[in-house]
Amino acid sequence: MPTIFFWLSTISQMLIQPYFIFDGQDRPWFPGGYERSYGTGPSLLVQRFQELLNAFGFSWHTVGVSYI
């Protein structure tokens, strides 16, 4: 997490407005040909990352439908 915090801190000082997008519940099971196993909700790492984004005031969105 210190590395993520460092990069978010660096990005927050730039003259850009980042927008982060996360996979939702309907994400593809085989993106790029690789099988992934997910639980029913976002992982703890994703939840903590979203909390950091909120703390820095960054915008983020979770995709609700499959995009492939």
Side-chain angles (χ1 to χ4, degrees), residues 1-14 20 45 48-58:
M1 276 299 198
T3 303
I4 293 172
F5 184 85
F6 170 78
W7 282 111
L8 291 177
S9 176
T10 302
I11 292 170
S12 71
Q13 297 173 13
M14 297 178 182
F20 295 85
L45 179 62
R48 297 299 179 249
F49 185 58
Q50 290 171 344
E51 290 173 6
L52 276 174
L53 293 176
N54 288 334
F56 277 95
F58 293 145

Side-chain angles (χ1 to χ4, degrees), residues 8-67:
L8 291 177
S9 176
T10 302
I11 292 170
S12 71
Q13 297 173 13
M14 297 178 182
L15 296 175
I16 60 172
Q17 181 61 38
Y19 191 78
F20 295 85
I21 301 174
F22 295 91
D23 286 340
Q25 292 296 325
D26 295 331
R27 62 188 162 263
W29 284 101
F30 298 99
Y34 297 102
E35 182 176 355
R36 296 182 185 179
S37 61
Y38 290 103
T40 57
S43 70
L44 186 59
L45 179 62
V46 170
Q47 290 175 350
R48 297 299 179 249
F49 185 58
Q50 290 171 344
E51 290 173 6
L52 276 174
L53 293 176
N54 288 334
F56 277 95
F58 293 145
S59 300
W60 59 272
H61 180 76
T62 301
V63 177
V65 295
S66 179
Y67 51 88

